């Protein structure tokens, strides 16, 4: 009989287990703990949305929309897209659920996101992000709080060394319009030297050319006029307040005048936390202010600022977390004592004591299995005449909690 072939994992996806899963879980656990310190609420949004949620908010000329989205018609011929990021979906939920009544809202979420791009180290087609947003807060203080949250997260993960916060501003509408005109004039003068993608962006969003990775575009983009020459007084004051707030909070940063975010909805503050420990793709956390996003989806004028970070990329920077070890292992020396051991196992777990049961194999193999699990204590269950006798042996640590449960 022919061997049945096993389907392989789809390219760009991953199975997360053991060491990798421990790193992954440590990122999520630390994120949840830190967000509680900053009083951010957790929110869950759908894995797929109407395609227009992303096309209208992220921008038709972005790589995400034009090249990377997983879009498909469902059985009702509605065009749906697997979420390539969280912010647009949260903005849609903010409008459709009437969450304006709760503004300002401080929200976090996490989960799988999907982008069709070339898989490489730390980059997958299905990957995972943590995300933090503040909606309905136009003050620079919201930017400062989000950046301080991000900085503390990296500190508590133990990955802050070698990670730099790069900060820039994209200005207000007046600043952006004046800067856009100057960029159009600059890039139009070099039209014959630009890449095909940048020629497309020139007519729709010339700021995106500044973010181009094509080597044909880099010398032209590097020579483009900077935003500071076109900064309105209001935009300059906003950016100065963000800088002073970060200084007051003890968050170190550096100015990067060429930093633009890859999505169309950003205004004012733009930032990236970058490292040289992950090769050419060194961004570990990034975001900015997006005051026009909710309006682009048909909602009221609403200020917003947020960031996202790849869980896999943060996990790659971590030291190896220790494997979890049970507080106690129960060893059944002979099968007649099995029922009593199972009852004790249930009592321990209900009391919050992590416990494992070893009841298969020869007595020697059972003890060997228990020792390999490296528990704080082993309990041996054996028959002593007609009764079950329990013997404990402390291996490490404080077992007072175990004694209280068993008393």
């Amino acid at each position: 009989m022919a061997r049945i072939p096993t389907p392989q994992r789809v390219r760009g996806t991953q199975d997360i287990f053991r060491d990798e899963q421990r790193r992954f879980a440590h990122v999520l656990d630390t994120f949840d703990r830190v967000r509680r310190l900053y009083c951010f609420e957790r929110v869950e949004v759908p894995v797929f949305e109407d395609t227009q949620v992303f096309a209208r908010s992220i921008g038709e000329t972005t790589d995400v929309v034009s090249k990377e989205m997983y879009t498909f018609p469902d059985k009702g011929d509605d065009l749906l897209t697997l979420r390539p990021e969280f912010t647009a979906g949260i903005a849609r939920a903010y409008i459709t659920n009437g969450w304006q009544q709760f503004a300002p809202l401080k929200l976090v979420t996490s989960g799988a996101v999907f982008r069709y791009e070339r898989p490489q180290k730390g980059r997958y087609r299905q990957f995972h992000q943590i995300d933090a947003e503040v909606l309905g807060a136009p003050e620079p203080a919201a930017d400062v709080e989000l950046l301080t949250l991000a900085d503390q997260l990296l500190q508590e993960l133990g990955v802050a060394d070698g990670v730099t916060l790069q900060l820039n501003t994209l200005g207000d509408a007046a600043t952006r319009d004046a800067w856009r005109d100057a960029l159009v004039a600059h890039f139009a003068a070099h039209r014959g030297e630009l890449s095909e993608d940048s020629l497309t962006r020139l007519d729709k969003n010339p700021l995106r050319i500044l973010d181009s990775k094509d080597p044909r575009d880099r010398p032209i983009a590097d020579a483009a006029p900077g935003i500071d020459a076109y900064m309105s007084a209001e935009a300059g004051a906003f950016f100065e307040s963000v800088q002073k707030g970060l200084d007051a909070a003890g968050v170190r940063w550096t100015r990067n005048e060429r930093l633009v975010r890859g999505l169309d909805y950003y205004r004012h503050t733009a930032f990236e936390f970058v490292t040289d420990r992950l090769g050419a793709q060194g961004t570990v956390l990034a975001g900015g202010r997006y005051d026009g996003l909710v309006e682009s989806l048909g909602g009221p004028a609403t200020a917003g600022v947020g960031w996202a970070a790849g869980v896999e990329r943060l996990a790659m920077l971590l030291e190896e977390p220790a494997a979890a070890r049970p507080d106690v292992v129960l060893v059944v020396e002979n099968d007649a004592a099995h029922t009593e051991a199972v009852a004790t196992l249930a009592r321990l777990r209900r009391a919050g004591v992590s416990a494992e049961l070893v009841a298969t194999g020869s007595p020697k193999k059972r003890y060997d299995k228990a020792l390999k699990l490296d528990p704080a204590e082993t309990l041996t269950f054996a028959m002593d005449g007609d009764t079950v006798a329990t013997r404990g042996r402390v291996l490490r640590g404080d077992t007072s909690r175990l004694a209280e449960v068993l008393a």
Side-chain angles (χ1 to χ4, degrees):
M1 181 176 177
R3 181 178 178 274
I4 298 174
T6 301
Q8 297 300 302
R9 187 179 68 225
V10 176
R11 186 167 184 256
T13 63
Q14 54 185 325
D15 302 311
I16 303 171
F17 184 56
R18 287 282 171 93
D19 294 352
E20 291 180 350
Q21 194 282 327
R22 284 194 284 271
R23 289 189 178 95
F24 193 95
H26 183 61
V27 172
L28 295 178
D29 291 345
T30 305
F31 177 55
D32 192 60
R33 177 168 51 80
V34 174
R35 68 93 179 169
R36 292 174 189 271
L37 298 176
Y38 286 73
C39 303
F40 276 63
E41 296 181 78
R42 174 135 192 130
V43 66
E44 306 294 341
V45 292
V47 172
F48 55 87
E49 298 269 5
D50 185 307
T51 297
Q52 288 303 305
V53 170
F54 304 112
R56 286 163 54 186
S57 58
I58 296 174
E60 297 283 359
T61 63
T62 62
D63 286 347
V64 172
V65 172
S66 64
K67 300 178 182 179
E68 298 174 2
M69 293 202 314
Y70 278 93
T71 299
F72 56 94
D74 69 1
K75 292 183 178 180
D77 288 330
D78 293 320
L79 201 60
L80 306 178
T81 295
L82 297 177
R83 63 188 181 205
E85 53 100 59
F86 281 106
T87 306
I90 290 174
R92 190 275 310 153
Y94 179 85
I95 300 167
T96 57
N97 292 302
W99 292 349
Q100 300 93 316
Q101 62 183 307
F102 306 118
L105 269 178
K106 303 196 300 184
L107 303 172
V108 301
T109 192
S110 63
V113 288
F114 306 84
R115 296 187 187 182
Y116 189 87
E117 57 183 344
R118 183 172 63 85
Q120 53 186 294
K121 182 179 180 182
R123 298 182 78 91
Y124 303 91
R125 291 173 174 173
Q126 177 182 319
F127 58 104
H128 301 80
Q129 285 186 341
I130 52 177
D131 184 275
E133 314 282 348
V134 179
L135 285 161
E139 307 85 7
D143 307 47
V144 173
E145 178 160 23
L146 268 170
L147 282 163
T148 307
L149 165 64
D151 184 74
Q152 184 165 346
L153 172 65
L154 297 178
Q155 295 284 350
E156 299 207 10
L157 284 172
V159 302
D161 288 346
V163 175
T164 302
L165 167 57
Q166 296 186 358
L167 188 68
N168 196 22
T169 178
L170 301 178
D172 54 14
T175 301
R176 195 179 179 94
D177 288 346
W179 188 32
R180 184 186 187 282
D181 291 343
L183 289 173
V184 169
H186 172 77
F187 290 127
H190 298 275
R191 184 182 293 271
E193 305 162 57
L194 292 173
S195 67
E196 292 77 9
D197 284 344
S198 289
L199 287 173
T200 300
R201 292 166 180 160
L202 179 57
D203 296 326
K204 296 183 178 180
N205 187 358
L207 270 67
R208 291 282 293 113
I209 302 176
L210 296 173
D211 198 36
S212 173
K213 303 299 187 293
D214 194 303
R216 290 172 291 178
D217 297 327
R218 286 316 319 156
I220 305 168
D222 292 340
I227 193 172
D228 288 356
Y230 307 92
M231 190 85 67
S232 69
E234 293 79 6
F238 189 100
F239 190 43
E240 184 178 0
S241 293
V242 172
Q243 296 173 65
K244 287 182 177 178
L246 293 175
D247 292 341
V251 177
R252 300 177 63 183
W253 57 275
T254 184
R255 176 75 187 278
N256 179 356
E257 297 182 15
R258 295 301 180 193
L259 174 63
V260 294
R261 300 294 300 129
L263 309 181
D264 283 0
Y265 51 56
Y266 285 105
R267 300 290 186 272
H268 283 297
T269 314
F271 55 86
E272 293 183 356
F273 287 81
V274 299
T275 179
D276 59 3
R277 292 163 57 191
L278 293 174
Q281 301 291 335
T283 301
V284 295
L285 185 152
R289 180 164 283 276
Y290 50 83
D291 290 352
L293 172 59
V294 174
E295 288 177 89
S296 75
L297 292 172
T302 304
V305 59
W307 57 253
V311 177
E312 287 87 348
R313 295 175 70 73
L314 287 172
M316 289 169 64
L317 298 173
L318 294 179
E319 298 293 334
E320 174 59 35
R325 297 183 291 187
D327 294 322
V328 60
V329 172
L330 282 60
V331 180
V332 179
E333 192 171 273
N334 47 57
D335 293 342
H338 188 269
T339 299
E340 182 68 23
V342 169
T344 303
L345 181 69
R347 286 172 56 198
L348 289 167
R349 288 171 170 170
R350 291 183 187 125
V353 178
S354 63
E356 187 66 274
L357 180 69
V358 178
T360 59
S362 68
K364 181 180 184 306
K365 287 185 176 179
R366 295 181 188 189
Y367 286 113
D368 288 343
K369 289 179 182 178
L371 290 173
K372 286 180 180 178
L373 292 170
D374 194 20
E377 183 169 335
T378 59
L379 286 178
T380 301
F381 287 76
M383 295 300 297
D384 185 4
D386 294 330
T387 62
V388 177
T390 305
R391 299 190 297 274
R393 180 158 61 94
V394 176
L395 298 181
R396 60 174 174 80
D398 179 8
T399 58
S400 57
R401 184 163 57 117
L402 175 63
E404 292 175 7
V405 175
L406 295 176

